[in-house]
Amino acid sequence: MVAITVNKDKIKLLQNYIDAILTNGDHERIKERKRLKNGQKPPPRWNAFEYNQQQIVTELCVEYMQILLSAKNDDEKIDLFFKVVDKVQAHLNDVTTYDPNLVNDAFVILINNHPAAVSWGLKTPSLKRISPINLLPGQTLPLGGPESRIDWWREDPSLNESHQHSHSIFVPNGIADANFPNKNVTYIKDRQGEIFIWSHKQMLARYDAERVAVGLDPVVPLKNYYDPIPEGYLPNKYLRDYNEKTSLSDLQNKFDYRLPYSSILKEDGAPIDFAVTAINKAIDDGLFYNDPQKLGLTINPERSNPDILEDNEWKEKFGRLHASGHTMIANIIGNNQLKDALKSNAPGGVILNFSTSCKDPLFYRWHRFIDEIFNRCIEKSKVRIFTDTPDVFIKSSDIVLAFKDQLLKVNPEGENDRWQKYGEKNFGKPNFPFTNELQTRMMSRNLNGPNNEIVQIEQLFPREFYYFFKVKNNTKKNLYDAKTGNTIKVPAEQHITLRVFIVPEILAHDRKQWIELDKFKYTLKGDEYAVISRACELSSVIRKPAQKVFDDTPDYDTSNDYCSCGWPYHLLLPRGTREGMKFKLFVFISDWNVDKTPGSTTEGISTCGRKIENGKPAKYPDSRNLGYPFDRPYANNSLLSTFAKQQDLKSMNTSSTDFPRAESNDPEDYWLDNVAMRDVTIKWVDEFK
């Protein structure tokens, strides 16, 4: 939000300049951008995964920050921000030194992370305005092959934009301190390495849910990367529209295709061999034991130490596994003739750009390989013993789902409190409009291409629904009884966190496949049997507010976003199948007093990556490992054993595929009182009715 003391007219004008620069728009302050001319030597092509170029981005950010240092107050800082705009424009016109995409990336990072820019409410334009052709769909190769069944998911514009935005918030090379900008000293966001692993793990789990729904196996890790790779990729015609006569400026925004059964360049595999060997040895030596943050930073690797010299020593020791893989895949170019003609100016694959990399099926195979290395370490951890759970009770019949449109029919005024009072009064009664089946549908969307071309795509949307949870609070506290002189137990208030997950039933045996749908804080009164209403649009994992419709007017942007981080709302649920696909819905209730992060001022259990506390990025408010309670190996390789009461473990005969079923109450007798799971079906329909 814009501070009261700030000149709002200046902020609006500054936002217009930002938009004009990043979208190549027209504005009186923005002069015509220069282009490379024949005979001029081009700068290195922008590669977000190349360390030296990441360093240049840091240097530019520091240069912009230093301009703002002399300001004595916000008004002066705003005036100086206009000088930053001029400096960005100068860098964009220095065409032989900087690839414009590199300069834009530095400017986006500044806007998304500088405390002043965040407090003023400055934003970067959407990807559909910055680079609309990047959103237009391509195709997997071979055309019509099995992988094409989920092209619609990989090509989703909001998925790719979400990935691009997250990397401008959680910056690989860190961010300089706005008060003491120094290119050699940068910091990363709280738990950034762990967030990197977790966010991609969740993307893989969602991807696998879509794969099994269309009859494909879960994604296979790109472990044998020297072997021919079956999956090819063909970018859309605008991204690959180039030849040996294409201008150098235009080449900076082009990508090449990859043919099926292509092979990597041998020299590109060497850095990966080195990194894998070094990281695996460190795992075996116990270096990363119980430290997902440190391991995540090493795998990525992001800035693991503020001091650049110490950080470089770490990278020299363990390599740059994640980044090297992206570069290795991008270097597999199908058009070898043009590659020979254009030399170092030849475009690479779409996996080299944060805004297009999710389109390529190898993105998921590469990240599965990375995730398997991470899990190799986690599987060495001890199984989790749940000794700090709150004294609350929930069972499978205490989880009820209802469609919003059906709630509106039976109780229109209930929307005012999100049907909280209605749920308290009618939970479990015959008139409650519950459902055991969630629904999704595909909806058409028109994307704007060059030359007024309209490209129609299909996007998934859920039928809006509500959860209703019934939770009994059995928490007691000690109270001194003055009459008897004894200490007695009395009902006590309990702050809890409800953690909601879903998984295809066929994959429930694998803890890595559980998809986080929501987590939120709630306060139970003493001895309360509470009914808790929760709308799917409030999910902690999605971009806020939930984007339920798309306006594809070329110059339109959503202006009411208060958190652009997060998963797209319309992809909250997996699509399911026409017949109805079986899923497990899981709820784990933890103790908020244990969960909360010391020193965090965030009220909720999740936070926006742009949030600033005391001039610094906010701490992640949930102290638990990301993915908790699925962050450790299953006990006895069994879901049932993992959440069983300790006294029942010895008497249980379980296997990796065992789990309680909602239609049987007996298995619930084994489980912790704070855990419940129920069956739910997700059906892909043509219309919601």
Side-chain angles (χ1 to χ4, degrees), residues 152-437:
W152 64 270
W153 194 88
R154 286 189 299 264
E155 297 287 344
D156 187 281
S158 299
L159 165 65
N160 285 277
E161 182 164 27
S162 171
H163 183 249
Q164 182 269 338
H165 180 77
S166 68
H167 281 282
S168 74
I169 300 295
F170 299 100
V171 184
N173 202 43
I175 304 163
D177 188 328
N179 295 316
F180 306 98
N182 184 326
K183 68 179 183 180
N184 293 324
V185 181
T186 62
Y187 60 86
I188 57 174
K189 301 290 176 72
D190 186 38
R191 297 171 66 178
Q192 184 163 319
E194 187 184 1
I195 289 171
F196 164 79
I197 293 291
W198 171 245
S199 62
H200 289 86
K201 185 190 296 289
Q202 281 292 282
M203 194 181 295
L204 288 166
R206 291 177 175 276
Y207 185 55
D208 278 345
E210 303 299 348
R211 292 181 67 87
V212 297
V214 297
L216 297 174
D217 290 331
V219 65
V220 177
L222 191 64
K223 184 176 182 179
N224 300 315
Y225 40 84
Y226 284 111
D227 294 346
I229 300 169
E231 301 90 348
Y233 185 75
L234 183 70
N236 70 64
K237 62 183 179 181
Y238 299 108
L239 290 179
R240 68 176 193 275
D241 180 22
Y242 72 94
N243 55 48
E244 66 272 13
K245 296 182 180 179
T246 300
S247 70
L248 293 174
S249 292
D250 289 336
L251 281 173
Q252 290 169 327
N253 295 305
K254 302 299 182 183
F255 296 95
D256 204 275
Y257 60 88
R258 182 183 65 253
L259 293 172
Y261 293 98
S262 297
S263 298
I264 69 166
L265 301 175
K266 294 295 184 181
E267 59 268 26
D268 287 340
I272 296 171
D273 296 339
F274 171 81
V276 169
T277 300
I279 293 172
N280 278 332
K281 183 179 185 305
I283 289 173
D284 292 337
D285 292 343
L287 178 62
F288 303 113
Y289 184 74
N290 278 354
D291 196 344
Q293 163 72 356
K294 188 174 185 178
L295 178 56
L297 289 175
T298 302
I299 286 175
N300 190 10
E302 306 200 50
R303 179 62 74 89
S304 54
N305 192 296
D307 183 87
I308 192 172
L309 295 178
E310 292 186 32
D311 190 68
N312 284 342
E313 287 180 6
W314 193 261
K315 288 180 172 64
E316 288 176 5
K317 184 176 182 179
F318 293 106
R320 306 182 72 248
L321 177 59
H322 170 238
S324 297
H326 274 260
T327 301
M328 171 189 76
I329 295 168
N331 285 344
I332 308 173
I333 295 176
N335 200 330
N336 287 316
Q337 183 177 352
L338 281 181
K339 179 182 178 181
D340 293 339
L342 295 171
K343 307 298 182 185
S344 61
N345 298 319
V350 295
I351 201 169
L352 211 56
N353 188 298
F354 290 134
S355 68
T356 56
S357 57
C358 296
K359 295 169 172 281
D360 191 337
L362 285 197
F363 172 87
Y364 304 92
R365 292 197 60 194
W366 177 244
H367 275 276
R368 176 67 82 203
F369 176 59
I370 288 173
D371 197 55
E372 288 299 312
I373 293 176
F374 180 83
N375 286 316
R376 182 172 174 269
C377 179
I378 298 303
E379 289 298 321
K380 293 177 177 291
S381 304
K382 294 180 179 179
V383 299
R384 192 173 290 286
I385 306 299
F386 300 102
T387 58
D388 56 6
T389 57
D391 192 358
V392 298
F393 181 80
I394 188 172
K395 56 185 178 182
S396 60
S397 59
D398 293 328
I399 308 170
V400 172
L401 303 168
F403 292 122
K404 180 179 179 180
D405 56 87
Q406 297 302 309
L407 290 167
L408 281 167
K409 287 181 180 180
V410 298
N411 183 233
E413 64 275 14
E415 188 172 14
N416 295 327
D417 70 347
R418 299 187 184 276
W419 287 279
Q420 178 61 42
K421 292 179 181 176
Y422 177 82
E424 292 171 356
K425 182 178 180 181
N426 295 282
F427 189 98
K429 293 183 178 180
N431 64 329
F432 195 92
F434 70 89
T435 179
N436 295 320
E437 175 186 280

Side-chain angles (χ1 to χ4, degrees), residues 487-524:
T487 299
I488 59 175
K489 298 282 188 180
V490 297
E493 180 182 80
Q494 176 67 56
H495 301 297
I496 60 173
T497 305
L498 288 95
R499 302 170 185 270
V500 186
F501 294 80
I502 198 169
V503 70
E505 185 175 274
I506 194 173
L507 299 178
H509 63 283
D510 185 349
R511 66 174 182 81
K512 302 185 296 299
Q513 297 290 2
W514 286 87
I515 297 167
E516 185 179 46
L517 287 182
D518 202 359
K519 61 180 175 181
F520 61 97
K521 177 185 173 185
Y522 191 84
T523 300
L524 296 169

